[in-house]
Amino acid sequence: MNQRIYLSPPHLNGLEIEYVQKAITSGWLAPFGEQIDLFENNLQNKLNTNKSLLVLNSGTSAIHLALKLIGVTNGDKIICQTNTYIATANPISYCGAEPIFIDSELDSWNMCPNLLEDAVIKTLKAGIKPKAIIGVHIYGMPFQADRILEIGKEYDIPIIEDAAEALGSSYKNNECGKIGDFGILSFNGNKIITTSSGGALITNTKSEKKHALHLATQAKTSSTGFSHDSIGYNYRMSNILASLGNSQLTDLDKRVSKRRKIFNNYKNELEKRTPLRFQPETTGHYSNRWLTSVLVRNEDERNQLIAYLEGDNIEARQNWTPLHTQRPYLNSPSFLNGNSLFLHQNGLCLPSGSNLSETDQDRVIDRVLQFFG
Ligand SMILES: *Cc1c(COP(=O)(O)O)cnc(C)c1O
């Protein structure tokens, strides 16, 4: 059996041990320490922003805290992209709020601005003001930020930008993560950089960051007296994991260009010779190509291709399953055009890790060619 090719495995660059050692010798085996401050500064520099940034134990907790900062509570309505990983929407439920799902347009595969505006208008007409809009840069491809921000502004609804998959992507030269009123990143094991588990919240103001930090550390009012002024969470990142983040971040630009190169290699080799169609990148959108996602002609073909690749020990996966079709959210209101279901039924992701060798890319390409042979 050939060696397994994974979809998007952690990519070590060799600096990790040295950086983690620094954190350990400092003695700060805690959710405090200089590696955390450093990681926050380094991320701000990468995003080219003086917005505030707080590192946390996951991207999911970052979304939860963004909703908390907005004041989301029981019964509130939150508008959310349906074509995404379920972690985008679950924090809405943690708050006792309810999602309203929005389908995708086919240029970026993200939230359709027309359906979004339709949803806002209809919800307002019913006497309810949505508390927030969550857009996602799926597989690293930026959403239609101009129009979505404009709608947020016009109806005075804050935008949460789920950039979990999009560190290193940009929209009209603005780095993803700093585009919305709140931005979130993830450093989960399969993301473009990893701290094994981790995330970040980007806010417009220092006082929002301060509030988020307070909530992320059990809402303590003093460090000695165990006094707490509200119900907080244990969401802060540890100093050790921040050191991993610092080592991983040193070569982010290389990781982005490697993933883009892999995408282009697949596209050049496969687009003309097979029915595969590739996720587009339209003017103004710059994707880190976190995952190369492609469409085939129907659901059977998708399943067969995934199984065929698996037969050679190659991991490919279906595109995200739209949230409005997932059991916890079957009763949620949705504004649909069929696109996200189409992208799911016909779509799959090919191995895209930034440590994927050219030999392994050739193996994937050959196997796909054989399938359509
Ligand atoms: C990975 C991911 C998240 C969640 O991040 P975690 O760090 O795993 O909690 C949220 N949204 C999207 C789109 C993701 O891909």
Side-chain angles (χ1 to χ4, degrees):
M1 184 59 112
N2 272 322
Q3 222 184 0
R4 185 147 182 83
I5 299 180
Y6 289 97
L7 184 75
S8 178
H11 176 192
L12 302 183
N13 59 20
L15 295 174
E16 288 81 4
I17 293 204
E18 182 193 326
Y19 277 64
V20 170
Q21 204 155 26
K22 262 192 254 171
I24 291 177
T25 13
S26 78
W28 288 102
L29 311 187
F32 314 96
E34 62 183 17
Q35 291 292 324
I36 293 180
D37 302 332
L38 200 58
F39 191 31
E40 290 181 344
N41 283 333
N42 288 339
L43 282 165
Q44 279 174 307
N45 288 340
K46 278 289 165 203
L47 294 186
N48 204 8
T49 184
N50 47 25
K51 284 192 175 197
S52 293
L53 188 147
L54 182 75
V55 291
L56 298 163
N57 63 358
S58 75
T60 310
S61 22
I63 298 171
H64 190 189
L65 290 182
L67 293 168
K68 283 286 174 188
L69 291 181
I70 292 167
V72 174
T73 180
N74 264 342
D76 283 340
K77 306 283 186 204
I78 307 296
I79 296 183
C80 181
Q81 181 165 325
T82 189
N83 183 28
T84 183
Y85 178 51
I86 199 158
T88 304
N90 282 344
I92 300 171
S93 307
Y94 304 164
C95 296
E98 287 160 22
I100 298 172
F101 290 114
I102 308 293
D103 218 320
S104 290
E105 36 78 19
L106 290 176
D107 283 340
S108 76
W109 298 7
N110 294 308
M111 183 182 274
C112 168
N114 297 335
L115 285 182
L116 168 63
E117 186 155 34
D118 198 24
V120 172
I121 290 171
K122 290 210 168 99
T123 312
L124 287 173
K125 262 199 187 134
I128 300 161
K129 180 164 178 193
K131 274 274 181 80
I133 295 166
I134 310 180
V136 186
H137 308 304
I138 214 68
Y139 310 124
M141 181 60 66
F143 57 61
Q144 308 289 359
D146 279 352
R147 289 219 43 218
I148 288 173
L149 292 181
E150 192 178 87
I151 292 167
K153 219 176 222 153
E154 177 165 356
Y155 297 95
D156 188 31
I157 305 170
I159 307 290
I160 299 173
E161 180 197 359
D162 180 345
E165 303 174 0
L167 178 61
S169 300
S170 58
Y171 177 79
K172 297 192 174 168
N173 294 321
N174 285 309
E175 287 80 0
C176 290
K178 69 173 187 194
I179 291 170
D181 298 291
F182 298 88
I184 78 99
L185 298 170
S186 166
F187 316 117
N188 193 0
N190 64 359
K191 298 295 184 342
I192 194 155
I193 70 160
T194 181
T195 58
S196 72
S197 172
L201 173 66
I202 297 106
T203 63
N204 280 333
T205 66
K206 283 203 180 91
S207 71
E208 284 166 336
K209 171 176 172 173
K210 202 172 153 206
H211 186 194
L213 176 61
H214 181 65
L215 290 175
T217 51
Q218 306 286 24
K220 282 191 202 75
T221 49
S222 72
S223 54
T224 49
F226 295 108
S227 299
H228 308 264
D229 60 9
S230 57
I231 295 180
Y233 306 91
N234 183 7
Y235 278 176
R236 190 59 157 147
M237 177 178 276
S238 94
N239 196 47
I240 305 267
L241 296 192
S243 71
L244 266 179
N246 284 321
S247 59
Q248 290 260 300
L249 204 54
T250 55
D251 60 357
L252 175 66
D253 300 347
K254 264 197 226 156
R255 288 163 188 259
V256 173
S257 59
K258 183 70 191 292
R259 291 206 188 233
R260 286 181 62 87
K261 218 169 138 189
I262 292 169
F263 176 93
N264 287 327
N265 189 26
Y266 286 145
K267 188 164 148 82
N268 292 338
E269 296 298 325
L270 295 171
E271 195 170 47
K272 290 211 182 84
R273 297 149 80 187
T274 70
L276 291 194
R277 282 177 295 147
F278 287 74
Q279 185 181 23
E281 185 178 62
T282 55
T283 315
H285 299 246
Y286 181 87
S287 172
N288 65 6
R289 294 296 188 192
W290 172 58
L291 294 183
T292 293
S293 176
V294 296
L295 301 174
V296 292
R297 289 168 294 190
N298 55 59
E299 194 169 4
D300 281 345
E301 191 169 64
R302 177 202 68 180
N303 292 340
Q304 285 159 14
L305 178 53
I306 290 173
Y308 192 76
L309 290 168
E310 191 57 51
D312 192 36
N313 216 6
I314 296 169
E315 183 187 24
R317 270 199 221 157
Q318 299 175 3
N319 281 355
W320 297 130
T321 306
L323 300 187
H324 70 274
T325 70
Q326 304 262 15
R327 196 187 302 192
Y329 295 117
L330 284 176
N331 295 323
S332 304
S334 306
F335 289 74
L336 303 177
N337 56 19
N339 288 339
S340 61
L341 197 58
F342 168 83
L343 294 169
H344 166 66
Q345 287 171 335
N346 297 273
L348 67 148
C349 297
L350 296 174
S352 308
S354 45
N355 48 2
L356 186 68
S357 69
E358 278 175 27
T359 320
D360 282 349
Q361 290 169 53
D362 288 344
R363 217 177 102 200
V364 175
I365 290 164
D366 287 345
R367 188 80 181 165
V368 173
L369 288 173
Q370 272 170 28
F371 176 80
F372 288 105

